[in-house]
Amino acid sequence: MNDPLAKIKPWFQGVSLFWPVLGLGLLLIFNAVFSPSFFHLEIRDGHLYGTLVDILNQGSKVMLLAIGMTLVIATGGVDLSVGSLMAIAGAVAAMLVMKISFAMAVAISLGLATVAGTCNGLLIGYAGIQPIIATLILMVAGRGLAMLLTGGQIITFEHPSFVFLGNGHFLGLPFTVTIVAIVLCFTLVATRKTAIGLFLESVGDNEKAARYCGINAALVKVMVYAYSGLCAGIAGLIATSNIKAADSSRVGEFMELDAIFAVVVGGTPLTGGRFSLVGSVIGALLIQTLTITMYNLGVAPAVSPVPKAIVIVAVCLMQSARFRAQILGWFGKRRIAA
Amino acid sequence: MKKSFITSLRSVGMAALSYALVAGSPLAAMAKPLTVGFAQVGAESAWRTAETESIKAEGTKRKVNLKFSDAQGKQENQIKAVKSFIAQGVDAIIIAPVVETGWEPVLREAKRAKIPVVLVDRGIKVSDDSLYSTLIASDFVSEGKMAAEWLAKKVNEKASIVELQGTPGAAPAIDRKKGFEAGISKYPAMKIIASQSGDFRRSGGKEVMEALLKKYGNEVTAVYAHNDDMALGAIQAIEEAGKKPGTDVVVVSVDGVKGAFEAMVSGKLNCTVECNPLLGPMAFDAVEQAIKGEKLPKKTVVQDKAYDQSTAKDVIASRQY
């Protein structure tokens, strides 16, 4: 009743962005202390150059995937196929870009990724297949398809516009940052300024109730998987452009897991319902920062997954209201006992 | 006249047919086509694809019924593939093991089924080496040493090296690291300032190199990558940092894929130690000997060779992979 922590408690409850931001902040402070070069920025060839810029640039792929994944997870689903869709989009674009116009190549590859995502959505929305199974099919088959297209070879290309996509700079920052910003703003407006966001949340919270309210739940699902496919396609183009080669067997490998991590770390529960796009983007930045931190600290690659996992578990635990209540409970008891 | 011509033609045809039958039948009786299972790691690099192609082509040439499995880089898939080969009762199994450990149970099954196992390109750790017939592989340790020797000569025995490791736990990553470290240990002024994994990927090589260039800046004078793909990724990172790969930073790698030769011709890569993936002929020789019950040496070493910019131009046209 007379809880001494009553004033602080609201800070720790319901603020979905608080914990990922705190995690990212602590990680940055840690880096500031242990690797002095981390915050060093300079202008080189007319653009910013430094570790922070790398995090934004390399993290852009997971950020894009996480934006699409957030919407999928908001409807209570999951999309495991995004890594393979990256491979397909990259392979198609790399093969077409030297033959037809750049705009056409981008349109075709993104179109294909969206169509593939739509197929996922149809399987889930209308055929009623579990999301994890439906997207697993494309996760396995999609990479095979990409390898079939490229004959298992790494396809290299020299095309200034395509190379610019993943390596160019705009306003002093990598162009990828602009792409992520555009996709994020578009998604935010589409979900928060229209009723779409509400539809997603209601389908994720209680699909039956949503249907009785007149929401076409199946169509909503098709839309989010298609959008996730599109985001994966963009990420695939960036990844391919970044190394100037379509490495269809390795591009985006395990990136679906990073994207799911990013969404969960960002505060969107896997059970569906409420979601936070900004949280997911911060989650993606947190994961990329962790990776770069491991490089900077010189942690042996065989053991570096362990500290990474610890940080991610810590952030996830802090988000759990029950876990926090437990900790606060112990803390409170001690205070009272004293 | 006309009729007799046709008759004679027919008789020639008959003769040819009967000859084919006579000639064909003892051959077929002598050797019914072998069925061989090949559990490949995946298709993660051009090198790997070349190896797969070589084994497939040699299988076709020897009229072997080859069952091919791609494990997509995962050991559990490989073990599943080997188990299914055993269930299908193949005559022999070729494995390109993805990691060194964890092979005992499935190899014991193969041994019980009396199916000889030939390992290609990577070794394994087992307590009983009768579990496999032979290993056909390059010596990764000596590849690492060759890279170290070449680099030492190039930089006058003085360098601050960034090492890009392969996938942690993979035999080539372990041995190329060991060999390189042994190779540079003779030269006190050559030291590895950072060693991180790029996972044998182009994107991995680039990402790690970007991060390490930010940390060490001009201190980095050489890069040693455990495969060409990572070196090619690192070259891009070096260029983006405003340095000249091949001149400002010496880049040495292992594998010898075509992309590496192209990079050497354009002066961006300094040296690659070839690791020959065309193991098909040797693998099937070993398979045939093992089926006949001949005793094979536990390891057959494939000869490797270092190529640099001076020799790259001459050999690039003849590269198959």
Side-chain angles (χ1 to χ4, degrees), chain A residues 267-280:
Chain A
T268 303
L270 278 177
T271 45
R274 270 202 285 176
F275 63 93
S276 166
L277 286 164
V278 178
S280 300

Side-chain angles (χ1 to χ4, degrees), chain A residues 56-325:
Chain A
L56 285 174
N57 191 21
Q58 293 287 355
S60 61
K61 290 158 278 180
V62 178
M63 283 194 257
L64 285 167
L65 295 183
I67 290 172
M69 189 72 78
T70 308
L71 304 187
V72 168
I73 288 179
T75 66
V78 70
D79 188 351
L80 296 181
S81 69
V82 288
S84 296
L85 293 185
M86 283 175 71
I88 295 182
V92 171
M95 287 166 70
L96 291 180
V97 79
M98 303 302 278
K99 297 184 187 112
I100 57 176
S101 77
F102 173 63
M104 278 299 285
V106 169
I108 291 176
S109 50
L110 291 185
L112 261 176
T114 314
V115 168
T118 311
C119 292
N120 278 335
L122 291 173
L123 284 176
I124 294 156
Y126 289 97
I129 298 177
Q130 289 278 321
I132 201 165
I133 301 300
T135 55
L136 188 68
I137 297 169
L138 200 55
M139 172 186 174
V140 179
R143 193 165 294 278
L145 186 66
M147 306 261 289
L148 193 69
L149 287 171
T150 58
Q153 298 292 325
I154 293 177
I155 310 270
T156 53
F157 53 85
E158 289 291 336
H159 190 285
S161 311
F162 195 13
V163 169
F164 180 82
L165 204 63
N167 296 296
H169 291 83
F170 182 66
L171 302 176
L173 283 171
F175 185 60
T176 49
V177 176
T178 313
I179 299 175
V180 173
I182 292 171
V183 173
L184 179 64
C185 289
F186 173 77
T187 319
L188 275 175
V189 169
T191 54
R192 296 301 181 206
K193 296 290 167 196
T194 72
I196 296 174
L198 202 60
F199 290 174
L200 295 181
E201 291 187 358
S202 55
V203 169
D205 264 336
N206 190 334
E207 195 182 333
K208 241 181 215 166
R211 259 207 323 271
Y212 289 144
C213 292
I215 294 171
N216 187 343
L219 185 65
V220 167
K221 286 187 181 177
V222 174
M223 273 168 50
V224 292
Y225 285 96
Y227 193 65
S228 174
L230 175 65
C231 289
I234 301 173
L237 293 190
I238 290 177
T240 303
S241 159
N242 192 248
I243 55 168
K244 298 173 192 151
D247 182 358
S248 42
S249 69
R250 305 299 300 268
V251 67
E253 201 184 30
F254 302 129
M255 224 171 238
E256 58 280 339
L257 300 182
D258 281 348
I260 296 171
F261 263 152
V263 174
V264 173
V265 167
T268 303
L270 278 177
T271 45
R274 270 202 285 176
F275 63 93
S276 166
L277 286 164
V278 178
S280 300
V281 169
I282 292 170
L285 284 173
L286 180 74
I287 288 172
Q288 191 62 36
T289 310
L290 260 178
T291 309
I292 303 261
T293 306
M294 295 300 134
Y295 295 152
N296 262 334
L297 291 182
V299 178
V303 297
S304 68
V306 177
K308 274 165 102 172
I310 292 172
V311 172
I312 290 168
V313 166
V315 175
C316 289
L317 275 179
M318 291 316 287
Q319 279 174 357
S320 150
R322 193 184 293 173
F323 179 81
R324 287 201 307 270

